[in-house]
Amino acid sequence: MLFPGLEPQGPVAYWRPFEGIRHGMAPTGPPIPGQERETFCGLTISVVIATEVQWLAPTCETCWAEAKARRDAMN
Ligand SMILES: [Zn+2]
């Protein structure tokens, strides 16, 4: 669990690295490699299998703020 504080009753977001930044996307279903998903900040990304190094990428601030807002709305 990468962001335990953001997952009180199930995930509020899925996170995937894209071009060196980790973006969040709505938890409509687990991201499947090859799938196109829209991130909170408005990008459309192709889901890839992330390597260990990619998981260390910085988090997109726009996506993080949106994920926090969604978590707060659940509490
Ligand atoms: Zn983003």
Side-chain angles (χ1 to χ4, degrees):
M1 217 96 357
L2 285 171
F3 300 101
L6 282 179
E7 305 191 21
Q9 303 104 4
V12 295
Y14 287 106
W15 298 89
R16 283 295 180 277
F18 180 69
E19 294 186 347
I21 300 177
R22 226 167 14 179
H23 295 275
M25 60 195 80
T28 48
I32 299 164
Q35 197 181 34
E36 297 225 315
R37 294 285 288 262
E38 195 165 323
T39 66
F40 289 145
C41 61
L43 292 173
T44 301
I45 68 170
S46 291
V47 176
V48 296
I49 297 170
T51 66
E52 298 265 326
V53 169
Q54 285 175 313
W55 282 118
L56 300 176
T59 302
C60 171
E61 285 186 22
T62 305
C63 289
W64 181 250
E66 172 67 21
K68 270 201 290 197
R70 287 173 179 241
R71 178 203 55 188
D72 292 345
M74 290 169 92
N75 290 336

